[in-house]
Amino acid sequence: MLWLLFVTVHDFRQRRVPNWLVLAGAAVALAALAFGVQPFEVGWTSAFLGAGIGFGFLLLFYVLGLMGAGDVKFAGALGLWTGLSPLASIWIAASLLAGLHALACLALRRWPLAPRLAIFLSASPAPITGATPSGRARFIPYAAYLALATVAWMFWGRQS
């Protein structure tokens, strides 16, 4: 949970997820697997499938210039924690949240009722890290929404 909180705050504030944060989450996930204290009862096979599919699927969006590299790497590390089975529902929930974010940005651009909220939602990354392969700035913190969707899965999705 603490790792997900750090990712969420960092991504919302800076619109990027640093490598050290992704690597820390992946290292702790591997240690949890190695010592048999994985909290979601995920085995090695499911963890590596989750990491590979999480990374590989979102890599397509990075190649198309629609997503940042930190989002992709975070999805891979997240897959180590959750395994393969919950990834689809986490992606769907995160995508719905990201879609609501985009709609709120468009609405606030058209009807500037809350200028501070508009600035927060459309904050661009720092100039050094804002460069993307397509040259477009990314303003939706997708890793944060993946983390929030994972927290929701941890509390409600695992009940079934």
Side-chain angles (χ1 to χ4, degrees):
M1 286 275 292
L2 188 59
W3 177 60
L4 296 174
L5 175 67
F6 282 138
V7 168
T8 301
V9 169
H10 208 286
D11 201 21
F12 268 123
R13 292 187 73 178
Q14 297 189 8
R15 295 305 196 262
R16 62 183 299 272
V17 180
N19 288 336
W20 67 265
L21 193 52
V22 172
L23 290 173
V28 174
L30 290 172
L33 282 164
F35 292 111
V37 293
Q38 214 285 347
F40 308 120
E41 301 171 6
V42 171
W44 286 97
T45 303
S46 182
F48 281 113
L49 279 173
I53 297 209
F55 182 85
F57 182 72
L58 293 188
L59 184 62
L60 297 172
F61 293 97
Y62 171 76
V63 169
L64 294 171
L66 301 173
M67 185 170 286
D71 300 326
V72 176
K73 292 179 276 188
F74 173 70
L78 184 64
L80 279 174
W81 279 107
T82 64
L84 181 60
S85 58
L87 280 184
S89 59
I90 290 170
W91 282 338
I92 291 168
S95 297
L96 290 172
L97 291 170
L100 290 173
H101 182 121
L103 288 174
C105 284
L106 291 173
L108 289 170
R109 211 177 280 156
R110 185 172 180 115
W111 301 289
L113 300 173
R116 295 184 104 193
L117 180 60
I119 290 169
F120 173 75
L121 289 176
S122 65
S124 60
I128 295 171
T129 61
T132 64
S134 65
R136 293 180 296 202
R138 290 184 194 87
F139 62 92
I140 296 177
Y142 193 68
Y145 290 128
L146 281 172
L148 292 172
T150 302
V151 170
W153 167 77
M154 288 167 59
F155 284 105
W156 296 290
R158 295 178 51 218
Q159 306 301 327
S160 52

